[in-house]
Amino acid sequence: MAPKHKHNDSLDPLTLAMAPPPNETSEQRAKREREEAEALQVSRRIDAELKLAKIALKKRKDAVQVLVLGQSMSGKSTTIKNFQMTYAQKAWSEERTSWRAVILLNLVKSVTTVVDILSETMESAELLATESQGSGKKAQPLTPLKETHRNIIRRLGVLRQIERDLKMLLGSGASEVEDPSEAGDNGPQFNPSRIQEFAVRSSSGWKDILDRIRNPSQGKESETQRKAFQVISSCRDDILLMWNDKSVRSVLKNREASLEDSPGFFLNDIDRILSPNYEPSDRDIVRARLRTTGVQEYTFTLDRGNHTAVDWIIYDVAGVRTSRAAWIPYFKEITALIFLAPLSSFDETLAEDPRVNRLEDTFMLWKTVCSNKLLAKVQIILFMNKTDILKKKLESGIQVNQHIPEFRDKSNDYDTVANWFKKLFKRLYFTNTTPGREFISHFTSVVNTEATSQTLAAVQGAILRSDFVNTGLL
């Protein structure tokens, strides 16, 4: 007995604790070994996850991190799409077909927006006509719309359900961003910056939404798209009749409803989109509007140009005023910041505060970004965006000095206006930023994919330079 006691004393407590119990049956032993094997698998899985997390953390520290900032509808998401199209072509190609549902929703939304404006116009006219009759005054024709327009509106009512179905397909946690503006004396005026937008709450931007469409569960999503396509196709003639009608165009013009300048406009492409073999083009996807709320993170692997791959992480955050506090945590680790300033917004007001001019708000936001101490060593790049819409507005006769008094009596042509805006941004930059920093700016129309690709190449070079803070001033 003594030798056995001596052997037990030589064992450490952990070994004794893990030793099989005495008189263990074969069933008990099988159960114990099974539980030990399961525990070992869990332990190995945790070890593997910790290892991957450590690698991911290192990659994040080594990655080029870019924050894209700007107002809501300034072009942030479109800029990120251009990055993906240019530098992540495989993922871009895989997602291409999935954008079809988004484009169909954009198309339907444009139709229902026109229908709403026409319905409101006819209702207002009928109400005023009734009041005139009651007062004994001679009724005046208040709208060019006729009974034929009412019939078209009635037939297009079936698209309401299609709109709801597509919204459910794209995101069950979706919501409408409400129009906070109040109706004026002549009814609610259309403003591209105030259109009710469809927003999907997502932490990874479009990726999880498009993945769900691409990999439908039990065919439900595919059936929704098929039904939507069929119903919209059946309404094609009425949609074209309405959109090309001179009286309808007159009403839209009087209501300042420039739908062509609003996000996700595809009414001029209806024949192509309703083709059975339609596949979204690069330009279609860039123009498509699918707003995701909160903070999204997009990862790309870009080539430095010397055959060395570099991971890029691009952050997109909500642009409305109430969400700007969410930007602050992303200032700490970023390499560069791309600031989107929509120049065409000089005659628009904020959706969340109609008293504030959108471009004036952009100038205030730019000043805040330039003076932020956390950004002292971050490369800031200015995109003066939506130059195509700016040109169109100026050519139509809209005067800048009526909306931006400081412009005074300068020439209202595009070159003068654009360069004056640039001088303002540049002056605010040097007045508020760290001395010696380079001012980098580009005039952009990010829906122009070819031109934007060239701009992004210049941006990539600027960001990857080793001297983020330069002594030479432009």
Side-chain angles (χ1 to χ4, degrees):
M1 296 295 293
K4 184 176 182 182
H5 178 73
K6 184 178 180 180
H7 176 71
N8 286 341
D9 285 346
S10 67
L11 296 177
D12 62 86
L14 182 59
T15 301
L16 289 172
M18 295 180 63
N23 304 319
E24 182 181 45
T25 65
S26 58
E27 290 81 3
Q28 291 172 332
R29 179 182 179 183
K31 180 182 178 182
R32 175 176 58 77
E33 291 177 345
R34 185 167 59 251
E35 290 175 347
E36 289 175 352
E38 291 174 355
L40 182 61
Q41 286 183 345
V42 171
S43 177
R44 287 174 175 170
R45 186 167 65 249
I46 292 174
D47 288 342
E49 289 174 355
L50 289 172
K51 184 177 181 180
L52 289 174
K54 187 175 181 180
I55 294 172
L57 182 61
K58 185 179 184 305
K59 286 186 70 176
R60 181 175 291 274
K61 288 181 178 179
D62 295 339
V64 174
Q65 299 187 52
V66 179
L67 180 63
V68 181
L69 290 188
Q71 293 173 335
S72 176
M73 295 174 62
S74 60
K76 300 188 304 296
S77 297
T78 307
T79 299
I80 294 172
K81 287 179 189 175
N82 275 284
F83 263 106
Q84 185 180 18
M85 179 178 64
T86 305
Y87 298 112
Q89 294 182 358
K90 184 175 184 294
W92 181 262
S93 177
E94 290 173 349
E95 294 175 355
R96 182 181 299 279
T97 304
S98 302
W99 280 99
R100 188 180 184 188
V102 179
I103 292 168
L104 288 176
L105 174 60
N106 287 172
L107 176 61
V108 171
K109 186 62 181 174
S110 292
V111 175
T112 56
T113 297
V114 175
V115 166
D116 286 342
I117 292 173
L118 298 182
S119 297
E120 291 168 2
T121 301
M122 296 186 79
E123 289 172 7
S124 297
E126 290 171 357
L127 180 60
L128 290 173
T130 301
E131 292 175 349
S132 297
Q133 290 175 358
S135 64
K137 296 179 181 179
K138 184 178 180 181
Q140 299 293 326
L142 301 170
T143 173
L145 301 178
K146 310 295 182 184
E147 190 63 27
T148 53
H149 298 103
R150 192 186 305 277
N151 291 334
I152 292 175
I153 290 172
R154 189 180 300 115
R155 291 195 295 270
L156 291 177
V158 296
L159 294 179
R160 300 285 182 187
Q161 184 58 50
I162 297 303
E163 184 178 349
R164 287 191 288 269
D165 291 345
L166 288 171
K167 287 177 178 178
M168 185 61 69
L169 166 65
L170 294 171
S172 56
S175 63
E176 291 284 1
V177 179
E178 296 292 341
D179 180 353
S181 61
E182 296 179 358
D185 295 337
N186 299 317
Q189 296 297 301
F190 178 89
N191 186 327
S193 68
R194 298 182 191 170
I195 189 172
Q196 277 195 339
E197 287 193 87
F198 175 67
V200 182
R201 288 181 285 277
S202 170
S203 61
S204 56
W206 321 294
K207 182 174 175 52
D208 57 346
I209 302 166
L210 300 178
D211 283 348
R212 186 172 62 252
I213 298 172
R214 192 164 66 247
N215 303 299
S217 58
Q218 301 176 351
K220 181 179 179 182
E221 286 84 354
S222 297
E223 181 58 35
T224 298
Q225 285 196 81
R226 281 195 293 270
K227 178 184 174 184
F229 181 82
Q230 291 170 357
V231 174
I232 298 171
S233 295
S234 70
C235 296
R236 173 188 168 281
D237 291 344
D238 278 332
I239 293 172
L240 288 173
L241 191 63
M242 178 186 70
W243 179 238
N244 294 319
D245 185 274
K246 291 182 179 179
S247 296
V248 171
R249 291 298 184 98
S250 175
V251 169
L252 295 177
K253 183 177 181 180
N254 290 337
R255 295 287 294 274
E256 298 180 5
S258 301
L259 258 71
E260 294 93 332
D261 298 335
S262 65
F265 176 78
F266 288 97
L267 278 173
N268 289 335
D269 305 278
I270 189 169
D271 285 332
R272 184 170 57 85
I273 290 172
L274 293 180
S275 169
N277 299 319
Y278 168 67
E279 183 177 273
S281 66
D282 289 344
R283 178 169 167 76
D284 289 343
I285 299 172
V286 168
R287 290 162 54 209
R289 181 69 175 174
L290 176 60
R291 181 175 172 185
T292 49
T293 61
V295 179
Q296 286 82 52
E297 181 180 310
Y298 302 88
T299 302
F300 308 97
T301 300
L302 277 66
D303 193 335
R304 276 187 184 271
N306 58 357
H307 307 291
T308 303
V310 181
D311 289 326
W312 284 49
I313 302 173
I314 300 182
Y315 302 103
D316 179 16
V317 294
V320 294
R321 279 183 161 186
T322 53
S323 301
R324 291 177 184 174
W327 299 355
I328 297 173
Y330 294 90
F331 285 168
K332 295 180 180 178
E333 303 294 336
I334 62 171
T335 309
L337 185 151
I338 297 176
F339 186 94
L340 273 293
L343 298 186
S344 63
S345 64
F346 72 89
D347 63 337
E348 301 169 13
T349 58
L350 290 178
E352 56 267 40
D353 188 350
R355 298 168 299 177
V356 179
N357 179 282
R358 284 192 70 204
L359 192 55
E360 293 283 6
D361 180 71
T362 292
F363 283 126
M364 289 188 288
L365 180 57
W366 173 248
K367 179 179 177 180
T368 301
V369 168
C370 294
S371 60
N372 192 297
K373 296 185 183 304
L374 292 175
L375 297 173
K377 295 187 178 181
V378 170
Q379 179 68 72
I380 300 177
I381 299 170
L382 172 65
F383 277 19
M384 292 173 287
N385 194 34
K386 299 196 175 183
T387 54
D388 55 329
I389 301 176
L390 173 64
K391 288 178 183 177
K392 188 186 299 184
K393 286 185 175 182
L394 297 177
E395 290 170 358
S396 72
I398 299 176
Q399 298 295 311
V400 174
N401 59 11
Q402 293 181 4
H403 304 275
I404 310 287
E406 294 84 351
F407 189 72
R408 298 181 183 175
D409 57 353
K410 297 178 180 64
S411 174
N412 208 64
D413 63 281
Y414 170 76
D415 287 339
T416 301
V417 171
N419 284 309
W420 186 77
F421 285 148
K422 179 178 179 179
K423 287 178 181 178
L424 287 182
F425 280 110
K426 189 173 184 179
R427 187 171 70 222
L428 286 171
Y429 183 81
F430 286 131
T431 302
N432 295 280
T433 195
T434 305
R437 297 177 76 186
E438 181 182 9
F439 176 71
I440 300 178
S441 67
H442 298 273
F443 288 112
T444 60
S445 171
V446 291
V447 295
N448 184 331
T449 56
E450 184 176 346
T452 304
S453 177
Q454 297 174 5
T455 301
L456 292 182
V459 168
Q460 183 189 5
I463 292 175
L464 290 179
R465 286 202 303 252
S466 58
D467 52 335
F468 289 144
V469 180
N470 293 278
T471 55
L473 303 180
L474 295 181

